[in-house]
Structure formats: structure tokens, C-alpha cells
Amino acid sequence: MYKLMCSFLFTSLLACTGNVELSDFSLKIHENEEKWDSLGPTNYSYTYSRFPVDCPQADAMPPVVITVESGVVVSVYSPELNTYLSNIESWPTIDLLFEEMISLYMAEHKFFSKSEADLGSEPEFDLVYGYPISYYVDKSDSECDAFSVITSEFQ
């Protein structure tokens, strides 16, 4: 129900904007979420990386392999640390990545793109399943509010 409400609100907000470029960008997120919903498996694993971009005092966390069964995260493994993490409830499924993207996009932001190096680009999505492959968000000119997310090795 929550996802349906978010999708409705997202679509309604798109209809209200007068900015065609903004709508096209928003529609790409929404279209890929719909592709994921219709084709995406409920059992999968993927490598998740999230990097702070404008925060010199923050260290990037090592990539983790997230395993999802029946739409729920069941394990998070850090190859770099060679250990399974215990706080699995704080790691995202692909559905939660879409929720985050929509929320961040609808909020005020300075940049929302594929990467910091390519600020004029749109986030990148998998061509088959539609899940997010790469996106970058910078909320403002302040420090420590920008990050990149990269997913890979989807199985």
C-alpha cells in the first residue's frame, strides 16, 4: 500500500511540474521502478557501495554483498573484512533504493545525476531489470551531504 501511495504521489507531482526536463528525468526513475516491479526477482544478491563525496573526514565504507530472499535482506557480507555484518535491517533492498531515489529527487537538491564526474547525466539503470546501477546526490553547497551509490554483480 505504501509503495502504491508513493507511486501515486510521485506521478501526481510529475503532472504538476511545468519543467519538461524535470518530468523526463522523474519519469525515467518511475519507469525503471515499474520495470523492476514487473520483472524483478524477490530472491537476489548484489554488491552495494555507498561513498561520501564531499566529506573529507568520512571514510568510504567497503562494498558489501547484500542477499535478499522473499524481498527481505537476509545477509550482508563484507568481502574486504571477510565477515558477515549483524545489522542487516539497515541495508537496502532494490525496492528501498527506488524509495530513496524518489525521496531524494523530490526533496531539494543541488545535483542528482549518474556520478559526480558526469553531473549532466541521469542516474544509470539496468537495461533488463531496471534496478539502479549508479546515482549521485548532492543536497546543497554544505559539506558532508553528497554521496554516490553503485550497485553491481546482480544475481
Side-chain angles (χ1 to χ4, degrees), residues 93-109:
T93 61
I94 298 297
D95 290 323
L96 288 177
L97 289 179
F98 274 112
E99 286 180 25
E100 176 185 59
M101 288 182 80
I102 291 168
S103 175
L104 289 166
Y105 185 74
M106 290 172 56
E108 195 168 321
H109 57 271

Side-chain angles (χ1 to χ4, degrees), residues 131-144:
Y131 63 86
I133 292 175
S134 177
Y135 60 97
Y136 163 78
V137 177
D138 189 353
K139 297 178 184 178
S140 69
D141 289 327
S142 299
E143 279 192 346
C144 300

Side-chain angles (χ1 to χ4, degrees), residues 51-103:
F51 308 96
V53 177
D54 65 349
C55 198
Q57 64 271 24
D59 293 326
M61 65 177 201
V64 295
V65 178
I66 298 175
T67 301
V68 176
E69 293 178 3
S70 300
V72 176
V73 175
V74 294
S75 72
V76 180
Y77 177 72
S78 173
E80 190 173 303
L81 302 174
N82 192 28
T83 189
Y84 283 90
L85 305 180
S86 59
N87 60 339
I88 64 172
E89 62 279 343
S90 64
W91 296 94
T93 61
I94 298 297
D95 290 323
L96 288 177
L97 289 179
F98 274 112
E99 286 180 25
E100 176 185 59
M101 288 182 80
I102 291 168
S103 175

Side-chain angles (χ1 to χ4, degrees), residues 140-153:
S140 69
D141 289 327
S142 299
E143 279 192 346
C144 300
D145 70 344
F147 61 90
S148 288
V149 171
I150 298 172
T151 64
S152 61
E153 302 175 30

